[in-house]
Amino acid sequence: MILFHSTVLQRETITPDTFSIRLSCPKEFLQRFNPGQFVMVDVAVSSHLDPLLKRPFSVCRLRDDSFELLVKAVGRGTGILQQVAAGTVLSVHGPLGNGFPLATITGKPKIMLVAGGIGIAPIFSLLNGLLASGHPPLELIVGARTAAELLCTDELRKRADQEKGLQLSIATDDGSVGHHGLVTELVSWQLKSGGEKPVICACGPLPMLIALGKLAAEASCSCYLSLESRMACGFGVCLGCVTRKKTGDDRHPWVKICQDGPVFDAETLRLL
Amino acid sequence: MILFHSTVLQRETITPDTFSIRLSCPKEFLQRFNPGQFVMVDVAVSSHLDPLLKRPFSVCRLRDDSFELLVKAVGRGTGILQQVAAGTVLSVHGPLGNGFPLATITGKPKIMLVAGGIGIAPIFSLLNGLLASGHPPLELIVGARTAAELLCTDELRKRADQEKGLQLSIATDDGSVGHHGLVTELVSWQLKSGGEKPVICACGPLPMLIALGKLAAEASCSCYLSLESRMACGFGVCLGCVTRKKTGDDRHPWVKICQDGPVFDAETLRLL
Amino acid sequence: MIDLSVSLAPGLCLKNPVMTASGTFGYGREYEPYLELDQLGAVVTKGLSLLPKAGNPPPRIMETPCGMLNAIGLENIGVEAFLRDELPGLKAAKATVVVNFFGETVDEYVELAGILDREAGIDALEINISCPNVKAGGLQFGTDPEMAAGLVAAVRRQTSLPLITKLSPNVTDIAGMAVAVAEAGSDCISLINTLTGMAVDLQSGRPVLANVTGGLSGPAIKPVALRMVYQVLQKVKIPVIGIGGITSARDALEFLLVGATAVQIGTGNFVNPAVAAEIAAGIEAFLRERSISRVSEFIGSLQLPESC
Amino acid sequence: MIDLSVSLAPGLCLKNPVMTASGTFGYGREYEPYLELDQLGAVVTKGLSLLPKAGNPPPRIMETPCGMLNAIGLENIGVEAFLRDELPGLKAAKATVVVNFFGETVDEYVELAGILDREAGIDALEINISCPNVKAGGLQFGTDPEMAAGLVAAVRRQTSLPLITKLSPNVTDIAGMAVAVAEAGSDCISLINTLTGMAVDLQSGRPVLANVTGGLSGPAIKPVALRMVYQVLQKVKIPVIGIGGITSARDALEFLLVGATAVQIGTGNFVNPAVAAEIAAGIEAFLRERSISRVSEFIGSLQLPESC
Ligand SMILES: Cc1cc2nc3c(=O)[nH]c(=O)nc-3n(C[C@H](O)[C@H](O)[C@H](O)COP(=O)(O)OP(=O)(O)OC[C@H]3O[C@@H](n4cnc5c(N)ncnc54)[C@H](O)[C@@H]3O)c2cc1C
Ligand SMILES: Cc1cc2nc3c(=O)[nH]c(=O)nc-3n(C[C@H](O)[C@H](O)[C@H](O)COP(=O)(O)OP(=O)(O)OC[C@H]3O[C@@H](n4cnc5c(N)ncnc54)[C@H](O)[C@@H]3O)c2cc1C
Ligand SMILES: Cc1cc2nc3c(=O)[nH]c(=O)nc-3n(C[C@H](O)[C@H](O)[C@H](O)COP(=O)(O)O)c2cc1C
Ligand SMILES: Cc1cc2nc3c(=O)[nH]c(=O)nc-3n(C[C@H](O)[C@H](O)[C@H](O)COP(=O)(O)O)c2cc1C
Ligand code: FES
Ligand code: FES
C-alpha cells in the first residue's frame, strides 16, 4: 500500500449516476495490485477540509500507467468526483485489502462471477485477471434494477463472444434485459443444474451477498464475497469497518473489512 | 442586493498571486451597482461545507452581462478561486455596501484616486464610473511593492494617454517603476504643491489608509477610504465587521464596514 | 396540503418548524430582500438588553473548519430602540416574533421580561442564559442548574408570554440543565448556543479575536447539537427547539427526526440569506415525497436500536 | 540544527513535539509503511484494558462536517497480547512508546498500571479517564474532578512511569478537571478527547451509529481544543499536550503557540498516514524560517491583548 498524488486523466459518464474515472499511478501500484483490492481516494480537492475522509473504491481495471474506477454517485464524495475536471490532482492510498484469492479460485473446476449493480467494479478486475492468466470455465452473472443501470455490458458481451470459456448471463429486476428477476435466481438455477461445482466470487448489495452465501452453503460451494462498509482509514487502524466473523468469541468477534477483506470466504462470516 | 448563481466565464492569471475572474450576473446587478460596492462570493464549490463563509471582493469592472473581480490569493478561499475552472457555478450576493459617494465627489474641483496593491480593484471601478460620466480633473496614484506587483498599469496608462483630464503616477517600494517610495509620499507632495484641493478616494493596506486620512486632515481635504475586514454576512446582520467611529459613545461606538461602508469619510472614523 | 404547523407552548403555534437563531438574523427586517418573514415559523431577534450594548472590540469573527467563531459580545440596540424602531415593522410583515433577551443580573432579566410582556406583537420570549452573572462573580447562569432555575423561575413570574429557555452546550450535563429550567417553568427549551472556542494567528502570534475566546457555530457543531437534543428529550417532556449547524432541509429534518419540535437556523443565514425559507420548503417537499401529511407525525419518529 | 526536543516529565523527553493520538495509530507498527516511528516525538497506543475488549457493534463511524464520529467502544487486544505481540516491534523500531490505558473500576486501572510499570520499553502511561466507572453507576471518571483525582492518585501510587492524564472535553469546567488531576500527581495533561456527538440517517430513520452516540474528532473540534488548552494553561503549571483536529503543521503550531508542550495527531492519520512525520518536518521548517533555534522558545509565546 502506497500513498501517492494521482492525476485525473479522464472522467466519463456512463449512466446519469455512474461514471468511470481514470487515475494516474506509479508502476509500483500496478505491480502490487491484486484483483478485488481497493483504493482510498481523497475527495476534498483544492484544500477543502470537508469532506474530510478518503472514500473507498474498488479498482475496476488497470492500464499502463493508470487505473480505472467505476463509481456510482450516491452522496457528497462521489458527487464531487462526478464533477472533477481532468487534470485535477487527488491523493490516493492503495492498493488496500486482500483481493480475491486467485490461486485458490483458479484451482477450482469452474468459476462463477456474480455482480449486482456497481458491484461489477471488482468483478470486472477479477475477470480481467482471470482472462489474462489461465482459468477454468467462467460463468459471469450480472444484474441491475433495469437495463439502463447495467454497467459495462457491451464490453462484457464482447469478452464473452471472444472468449470460449466465458459465459454471460444478465438479470434485471424489471425484465428490461435478460432474466426478469434477481441474479440470485440465475445462480440458484445454475447450482441446481448440476455439473461441476463452481467457486462463487461476488460483489453487490448486502442482501444479494447474504443470499449468495446461503445458496453456496446449501450447494457446498466455496464462495468469496467482496463487502463494503463506511471506512475512515482503509488500512486497519481505526477499527471502524468491522463485521462479525462466524467463529469469533465475545472478546474477538470481528474481522476488519478493509484489512481482512474486503473479500471474505462467506463461510467465515456471520452476515445476518 | 440580490442573491444569484453566477457562472465563472473566465479566469486570467495576472501575476503569480493575482488573477482576474469574470462572473456572469443578472442585468439587475449591473443596474444597481455603484463603484466601490462589493460582492460576497461562495468559495465552497461542489457542495463542500468548508470553507463555510462567502468571501468579500470589490467589483473591479462591469461588463455587458458580467462583472470582473481582481483577486490576490492570500489564503484558502482565494486559493480555491485561483484554481476554479471556467463554467463553475458559484453563489454570489451583491452588490453590497455603499460604494463611493459619486455625486459628492464629482462636485469637487479635483479628484485624487489612490490605490495600494490589490486596492486598485474598487478604485478601477470608480475610475471607470468617473470616466463614463462628467468629471473634474483626475489624479490617479497607484503603488505596489515592486513593478511586478503593479496591477492593471498597462490599461491605466492607456486611459491616461487617451483621457486629457487624467494623470497617472506610480510608486513602488523598491523603485523598480515610478517613484521609489510610498504612494503616500506622492500624495503628500501633490497636496503641498498647491492648486485646487482634491477629494481623495483610496483603497489599500490599512497603514496606507491611516496615513492618507492624516494627510487629508492636515490639508483639509475630504477623503473617502474603502476599508476591509473579515466578514461573515456582508449585509449588516452578524455584527462581525465593526470599526470604531469618531463620534461614537460607549453604547454606540461602531460602524459596520459591510453596510455603513466599505467606503467611509475618513473624518468619521477613529482608525487607530 | 401538508400540515407543517407545530406547537411550542400553549398559545405559541408556528406555521412551520423553521425559526431563525438569535444574533444571526438581525432584528428580522434585514432579511426582507431575501424572503417573506411570514413564511418562517418565527423570527428570533438579536439578543436584547435593557440598555444598548456595545459588545466587544474587533476582530470579532473568524472562520474555522466548517464553522465560525464569534465574539460579538451581545451588541444590541437595547429594548427601547427595538420596541420603537423594529417591532412595528415585524408586526407589519406579519412575522411571528420571538424576542431573545439577557441581563447581567436576575433583576435585569426580570425587568426586561416585564417590559416585553406589556408589548403587543411579541409572540414569545427566548431567555439566553449563556451570560455571565455579574453578581455571582461572572459565573454563567447557563452552566449551573440552580442558578438557571432561579433565573427562569423569576422571569416566569414576570410574564405570561410563552417562555423558551436557550441552553449553553458548555456543560457536563445538558439534560440536568434542561430538567432544571423545565421544572422552573420554562415552556420550551432551545439548544444549543455556541460552544466556546478559540483561534490564534501564527503570523501575529496573537489570538484572532480581541476577546480571545468566542462561540463556535456552524456545521462543525451539528453532531454535538443533535446529541444534546437527543439527551434532553430523554429527560424532559416539554418541546425542544434544535439549533446548531443547520444549513439544509436535511439537517433540519435530522433534528425533527430526533424529536425537536422546531429548529433554528443560525450561521447558515450568513452564507445564504434565503436559506430559512428554502429549508421550510425543503421540509415540505420531503414530507410530500414520503406521503407524510403532518410534520408532527415525523417529529420524534427516530427508531432506536433495541438495546437502548 | 533546530532543537525540536521537548520535555513532558522528568525522564520523558521527546525528540520533537509530535505524538500520535490513541486509537488513531493502531499499536504503531501499522504505520511503518508510511513513516519511521522513531521520527515521531512518541507513539501513543490504542487504549488498552486488562482483557481484550470487543467494543461496540457496527456501524461504528460516520463522517460529519470537517469531522467524524466514532463509537469503536475501546476495542483492543488487551495488555497481554500487546506486551507479547506489539511492544517488541515498537522497541525494535526505537519508538518512544506511550501506552494509553483504561479500566472500568479504579482497581482495574491500578492493576493495569502495575503490569505496565514492570515492563521495559514503555516510556510513559496515558490514562484515559473518559470511561464509565461501573462502580459509580456508569458515571464517567472524566467528568467529575474528585473521581478523576482519586483515580489518578491511585494509579500514581502504582507506577513511577511518567503519567499523562487525558481529559474529556465534555465538562463545564475543564480547568477544574486539570487542577484536580495535576494535584493528584499527574505529570502531564493531554486534551482533548472526543466531544460526544450523534448522527442520524434520514433514509432509515435511525441513528447512524449502533451505539447511538459517538465521539466527534477532526478539524471541526480544533477551536474547542485550542480554547481548552488555553484555559487549562491558565490554571496548571505541568506540561499540556494539545489534541484535536490537527491535520497540518500550522494547526500543530497553533497549539504550541498557545502553550502546549507537545501535540497529538488523531483523525488526521486516517486521511494521510504520513501526516505526523510531515507535521514534525513542517514545524521544523517554520521555526527555521523564523530563525527560532529551539521549539521551546516558540511554545507559549502567544501574546495576549492588554486587557487579559
Ligand atoms: C471496499 C469498498 C469498495 C467499494 N467500491 C466501490 C466502487 O467500485 N464503486 C462505487 O461506486 N462505490 C464503491 N464503494 C462504495 C463507496 O465507497 C461509497 O459509495 C462512497 O464512499 C460514498 O461516498 P459519498 O461521500 O458519495 O456518500 P456519503 O455522502 O458519505 O453517503 C451517501 C450514502 O451512501 C451510503 N454510504 C456511504 N458510504 C458507504 C460505504 N462505504 N458503503 C456503503 N454505503 C455507503 C450512505 O449510507 C448514504 O446513504 C466501495 C466501498 C468499499 C468499502
Ligand atoms: C469590502 C471588501 C472588499 C475586498 N475586495 C477585495 C478585492 O477586490 N480583491 C482581493 O483580492 N481581496 C479583496 N478583499 C479581501 C478578501 O476578502 C480577502 O483577501 C479574502 O477574504 C481572503 O480569503 P481567504 O480564504 O483566501 O483567506 P483566509 O484563508 O481566510 O485568510 C488568509 C489571510 O488573509 C487575511 N484575511 C482574510 N480575510 C480578510 C479580509 N476580509 N480582510 C483582510 N484580510 C483578510 C487573514 O488575516 C489571513 O492572513 C476585500 C475585502 C473586503 C472586506
Ligand atoms: C454572530 C452570532 C451572534 C449570535 N448572537 C446570539 C445572541 O445574541 N443570543 C443568542 O442567544 N444566541 C446568539 N448566537 C447563537 C446562535 O443563535 C445559535 O445558537 C448558534 O449560532 C448555533 O447555531 P448555528 O450553528 O446554526 O449558527 C449567535 C451566533 C452567531 C454566529
Ligand atoms: C477512531 C478513534 C478511536 C479512538 N480511540 C481512543 C482510545 O482508545 N483512547 C483514547 O484515549 N482516545 C481515543 N480516541 C480519541 C483520540 O485519541 C483524540 O483524542 C481525538 O480523536 C481528538 O483528536 P483528533 O481530532 O486529532 O482526532 C479515538 C479517536 C478516534 C477517532
Ligand atoms: S476502515 Fe479503518 S479499520 Fe477498516
Ligand atoms: S459582515 Fe456581517 S455585519 Fe458586516
Side-chain angles (χ1 to χ4, degrees):
Chain A
M1 44 215 197
I2 45 180
L3 273 173
F4 55 98
H5 289 286
S6 171
T7 306
V8 177
L9 301 176
Q10 200 175 7
R11 189 178 41 70
E12 254 177 50
T13 302
I14 298 177
T15 74
D17 67 353
T18 54
F19 56 97
S20 70
I21 189 164
R22 191 149 65 86
L23 292 165
S24 74
C25 64
K27 278 270 172 298
E28 195 188 347
F29 179 90
L30 301 170
Q31 285 153 6
R32 293 192 184 198
F33 180 75
N34 188 35
Q37 286 190 297
F38 69 98
V39 287
M40 296 288 287
V41 179
D42 202 350
V43 294
V45 292
S46 291
S47 86
H48 296 277
L49 281 171
D50 175 79
L52 180 65
L53 301 172
K54 287 191 162 84
R55 301 294 195 260
F57 299 101
S58 298
V59 172
C60 175
R61 190 205 305 256
L62 298 186
R63 302 275 189 181
D64 278 352
D65 53 354
S66 59
F67 62 91
E68 263 178 43
L69 307 178
L70 197 65
V71 179
K72 181 167 178 179
V74 299
R76 257 158 32 92
T78 49
I80 289 167
L81 283 183
Q82 198 178 17
Q83 307 289 330
V84 98
T88 305
V89 174
L90 302 173
S91 160
V92 173
H93 185 195
L96 296 165
N98 56 1
F100 289 98
L102 271 187
T104 314
I105 292 170
T106 48
K108 305 278 171 166
K110 189 175 164 188
I111 306 176
M112 191 187 273
L113 306 181
V114 187
I118 193 74
I120 188 66
I123 296 298
F124 196 89
S125 89
L126 174 58
L127 176 68
N128 279 338
L130 291 169
L131 293 181
S133 56
H135 62 87
L138 285 170
E139 186 99 47
L140 175 60
I141 303 178
V142 301
R145 278 186 299 186
T146 180
E149 291 183 8
L150 274 168
L151 297 169
C152 314
T153 31
D154 289 351
E155 203 167 339
L156 293 175
R157 283 209 184 90
K158 213 190 295 169
R159 297 281 164 100
D161 288 347
Q162 288 165 352
E163 193 74 36
K164 267 208 342 253
L166 170 63
Q167 204 182 314
L168 172 68
S169 319
I170 293 175
T172 50
D173 294 3
D174 66 355
S176 46
V177 186
H179 168 65
H180 187 163
L182 302 174
V183 285
T184 46
E185 292 162 7
L186 292 180
V187 173
S188 168
W189 291 338
Q190 296 276 5
L191 292 180
K192 283 178 189 146
S193 71
E196 296 284 13
K197 266 193 196 158
V199 52
I200 300 175
C201 296
C203 185
L206 191 58
M208 174 190 121
L209 299 184
I210 293 172
L212 282 179
K214 281 194 193 136
L215 289 174
E218 285 159 20
S220 315
C221 298
S222 333
C223 179
Y224 295 95
L225 304 176
S226 178
L227 298 194
E228 293 191 1
S229 159
R230 289 182 184 278
M231 293 184 172
C233 72
F235 65 109
V237 293
C238 76
L239 307 181
C241 66
V242 298
T243 192
R244 207 172 282 278
K245 62 182 170 190
K246 190 165 272 163
T247 59
D249 59 36
D250 274 5
R251 298 202 174 273
H252 307 88
W254 317 115
V255 284
K256 292 181 244 179
I257 291 179
C258 70
Q259 198 180 45
D260 304 319
V263 178
F264 294 93
D265 182 339
E267 253 184 26
T268 63
L269 298 178
R270 200 185 312 162
L271 282 179
L272 257 192
Chain B
M1 44 216 195
I2 45 179
L3 272 174
F4 56 98
H5 289 286
S6 170
T7 305
V8 177
L9 300 176
Q10 200 175 7
R11 189 177 42 70
E12 253 177 52
T13 302
I14 297 176
T15 73
D17 67 353
T18 53
F19 56 97
S20 72
I21 190 164
R22 191 148 66 87
L23 292 165
S24 74
C25 65
K27 278 269 171 295
E28 195 188 346
F29 178 91
L30 300 171
Q31 286 151 6
R32 293 194 183 197
F33 179 77
N34 188 33
Q37 285 190 297
F38 67 99
V39 287
M40 296 287 288
V41 178
D42 201 351
V43 292
V45 291
S46 290
S47 86
H48 295 277
L49 281 170
D50 175 81
L52 181 65
L53 301 172
K54 286 190 163 85
R55 300 292 194 265
F57 299 102
S58 298
V59 172
C60 175
R61 187 204 307 255
L62 298 186
R63 301 275 188 182
D64 279 351
D65 53 354
S66 60
F67 62 91
E68 263 178 42
L69 307 178
L70 197 63
V71 179
K72 180 164 179 182
V74 298
R76 254 153 39 87
T78 47
I80 289 167
L81 283 183
Q82 199 179 17
Q83 306 288 329
V84 98
T88 305
V89 174
L90 302 174
S91 161
V92 173
H93 185 195
L96 296 166
N98 56 1
F100 289 98
L102 271 186
T104 313
I105 292 171
T106 48
K108 305 279 171 165
K110 188 173 163 191
I111 306 177
M112 190 187 276
L113 306 181
V114 187
I118 193 75
I120 188 68
I123 295 299
F124 195 89
S125 90
L126 174 58
L127 176 68
N128 280 337
L130 291 170
L131 293 181
S133 57
H135 62 88
L138 284 170
E139 186 98 48
L140 175 60
I141 303 178
V142 299
R145 278 186 300 184
T146 178
E149 291 182 9
L150 273 170
L151 297 169
C152 313
T153 29
D154 288 351
E155 205 166 339
L156 293 175
R157 283 210 182 90
K158 211 189 297 168
R159 296 281 163 99
D161 288 346
Q162 289 165 353
E163 192 74 36
K164 269 209 339 250
L166 169 64
Q167 202 183 316
L168 172 68
S169 320
I170 293 176
T172 50
D173 294 3
D174 65 356
S176 46
V177 186
H179 168 64
H180 187 162
L182 302 174
V183 285
T184 44
E185 292 161 7
L186 291 181
V187 172
S188 168
W189 292 338
Q190 298 275 4
L191 292 180
K192 283 179 190 145
S193 71
E196 296 282 13
K197 264 190 198 165
V199 50
I200 301 175
C201 296
C203 185
L206 189 57
M208 172 190 121
L209 299 184
I210 292 173
L212 283 178
K214 281 196 194 134
L215 288 175
E218 284 160 20
S220 314
C221 301
S222 336
C223 179
Y224 294 96
L225 305 176
S226 177
L227 298 194
E228 294 193 0
S229 157
R230 291 182 181 277
M231 293 185 172
C233 73
F235 64 109
V237 292
C238 77
L239 308 181
C241 65
V242 298
T243 192
R244 206 172 283 277
K245 62 181 170 190
K246 189 166 275 165
T247 59
D249 59 36
D250 273 5
R251 299 202 173 273
H252 306 88
W254 317 116
V255 285
K256 292 182 244 180
I257 291 178
C258 70
Q259 197 179 46
D260 304 319
V263 178
F264 293 93
D265 182 339
E267 253 184 26
T268 64
L269 298 179
R270 198 183 315 161
L271 282 180
L272 258 192
Chain C
M1 264 297 288
I2 291 175
D3 180 2
L4 290 178
S5 69
V6 294
S7 168
L8 287 180
L12 182 61
C13 182
L14 310 187
K15 66 168 63 101
N16 68 54
V18 182
M19 310 167 69
T20 60
S22 176
T24 67
F25 210 71
Y27 300 99
R29 301 196 63 200
E30 296 90 328
Y31 281 83
E32 286 190 323
Y34 313 104
L35 43 73
E36 310 282 334
L37 297 181
D38 68 351
Q39 285 177 349
L40 302 178
V43 168
V44 182
T45 67
K46 176 77 195 152
L48 293 177
S49 47
L50 277 173
L51 293 178
K53 228 175 111 70
N56 293 323
R60 290 175 160 191
I61 54 171
M62 172 66 183
E63 194 183 54
T64 66
C66 286
M68 65 175 279
L69 287 169
N70 89 78
I72 308 302
L74 296 171
E75 172 177 350
N76 76 93
I77 58 175
V79 67
E80 195 184 311
F82 171 77
L83 297 178
R84 184 186 62 224
D85 304 335
E86 303 290 343
L87 187 57
L90 287 170
K91 283 197 231 174
K94 298 205 167 58
T96 300
V97 179
V98 176
V99 171
N100 179 290
F101 72 106
F102 68 95
E104 291 183 346
T105 61
V106 174
D107 289 347
E108 278 185 27
Y109 274 99
V110 166
E111 187 179 345
L112 199 42
I115 294 171
L116 294 166
D117 186 63
R118 289 192 292 277
E119 206 66 33
I122 295 177
D123 297 284
L125 301 183
E126 181 178 63
I127 170 168
N128 177 3
I129 60 172
S130 309
C131 300
N133 179 342
V134 292
K135 287 211 177 145
L139 254 181
Q140 285 197 359
F141 286 103
T143 55
D144 181 280
E146 277 174 44
M147 233 159 70
L151 174 61
V152 169
V155 169
R156 174 75 295 171
R157 283 189 292 275
Q158 198 63 27
T159 177
S160 54
L161 282 170
L163 189 60
I164 304 166
T165 306
K166 181 164 178 182
L167 300 184
S168 159
N170 301 297
V171 297
T172 309
D173 178 15
I174 192 77
M177 290 297 306
V179 168
V181 302
E183 284 172 356
S186 191
D187 295 302
C188 182
I189 288 167
S190 61
L191 76 165
I192 59 176
N193 212 313
T194 53
L195 279 164
T196 308
M198 175 174 175
V200 296
D201 182 9
L202 283 184
Q203 205 61 36
S204 66
R206 295 175 181 276
V208 172
L209 303 175
N211 189 53
V212 184
T213 62
L216 181 65
S217 64
I221 70 170
K222 193 184 74 170
V224 175
L226 272 175
R227 180 264 294 187
M228 289 191 164
V229 167
Y230 171 78
Q231 288 179 331
V232 163
L233 282 164
Q234 315 267 301
K235 292 284 164 67
V236 302
K237 295 228 162 52
I238 60 175
V240 164
I241 301 168
I243 320 171
I246 299 174
T247 64
S248 70
R250 299 191 70 82
D251 292 334
L253 285 158
E254 290 173 10
F255 281 89
L256 301 181
L257 180 64
V258 168
T261 302
V263 294
Q264 291 181 10
I265 321 293
T267 305
N269 295 310
F270 301 153
V271 183
N272 173 6
V275 77
E278 290 172 13
I279 288 174
I283 291 174
E284 183 166 7
F286 175 92
L287 297 174
R288 177 169 298 123
E289 204 176 287
R290 295 281 183 100
S291 307
I292 302 173
S293 57
R294 298 159 183 277
V295 69
S296 53
E297 290 168 35
F298 181 75
I299 289 169
S301 61
L302 184 75
Q303 289 179 51
L304 290 175
E306 276 136 45
S307 55
C308 285
Chain D
M1 263 295 290
I2 290 173
D3 180 2
L4 290 177
S5 69
V6 294
S7 169
L8 287 179
L12 183 60
C13 181
L14 310 186
K15 66 168 64 98
N16 67 55
V18 182
M19 310 166 70
T20 60
S22 177
T24 68
F25 211 71
Y27 301 100
R29 301 198 61 201
E30 296 90 328
Y31 280 83
E32 287 190 324
Y34 312 103
L35 45 71
E36 310 283 333
L37 297 181
D38 67 352
Q39 285 177 347
L40 302 177
V43 168
V44 183
T45 67
K46 175 81 194 147
L48 292 177
S49 48
L50 276 173
L51 294 177
K53 229 175 111 70
N56 293 322
R60 290 176 159 190
I61 55 171
M62 172 66 182
E63 194 183 54
T64 66
C66 287
M68 65 175 280
L69 288 168
N70 90 79
I72 307 302
L74 296 171
E75 173 177 350
N76 75 92
I77 58 175
V79 66
E80 195 184 311
F82 171 76
L83 297 178
R84 186 186 60 223
D85 303 336
E86 303 291 343
L87 186 57
L90 286 171
K91 283 197 231 172
K94 299 206 166 58
T96 299
V97 178
V98 176
V99 172
N100 179 290
F101 73 106
F102 68 96
E104 293 183 343
T105 60
V106 175
D107 290 349
E108 279 185 27
Y109 274 99
V110 166
E111 187 180 344
L112 200 42
I115 294 171
L116 294 166
D117 186 63
R118 287 191 295 277
E119 206 65 33
I122 296 177
D123 297 284
L125 301 184
E126 182 178 62
I127 172 167
N128 177 1
I129 61 173
S130 309
C131 300
N133 178 344
V134 292
K135 287 209 177 146
L139 255 181
Q140 284 197 3
F141 286 104
T143 55
D144 181 278
E146 277 174 43
M147 234 160 69
L151 175 60
V152 168
V155 168
R156 175 76 292 173
R157 283 189 292 275
Q158 198 63 30
T159 177
S160 54
L161 282 171
L163 189 59
I164 304 165
T165 306
K166 182 164 176 180
L167 300 184
S168 162
N170 301 296
V171 297
T172 309
D173 177 16
I174 192 76
M177 290 297 306
V179 168
V181 302
E183 283 172 357
S186 192
D187 296 301
C188 182
I189 288 167
S190 61
L191 76 165
I192 60 174
N193 212 314
T194 53
L195 278 165
T196 308
M198 177 173 173
V200 297
D201 182 10
L202 284 183
Q203 205 61 35
S204 66
R206 294 173 181 277
V208 172
L209 302 175
N211 189 54
V212 184
T213 62
L216 181 64
S217 63
I221 69 169
K222 195 185 73 172
V224 175
L226 272 174
R227 180 264 295 186
M228 289 190 163
V229 167
Y230 171 77
Q231 288 180 331
V232 163
L233 281 164
Q234 316 266 300
K235 291 285 166 65
V236 301
K237 296 228 160 56
I238 60 176
V240 164
I241 301 169
I243 320 172
I246 300 174
T247 65
S248 69
R250 298 190 71 80
D251 293 334
L253 285 158
E254 289 172 12
F255 280 88
L256 300 182
L257 180 63
V258 168
T261 302
V263 294
Q264 292 181 11
I265 321 295
T267 305
N269 295 310
F270 300 154
V271 183
N272 173 7
V275 77
E278 289 172 13
I279 288 173
I283 292 174
E284 183 167 3
F286 176 91
L287 296 174
R288 176 168 300 124
E289 205 175 287
R290 296 281 183 101
S291 308
I292 302 173
S293 57
R294 298 160 184 276
V295 70
S296 52
E297 290 168 35
F298 182 74
I299 290 169
S301 60
L302 185 74
Q303 288 179 50
L304 291 176
E306 276 137 44
S307 56
C308 284

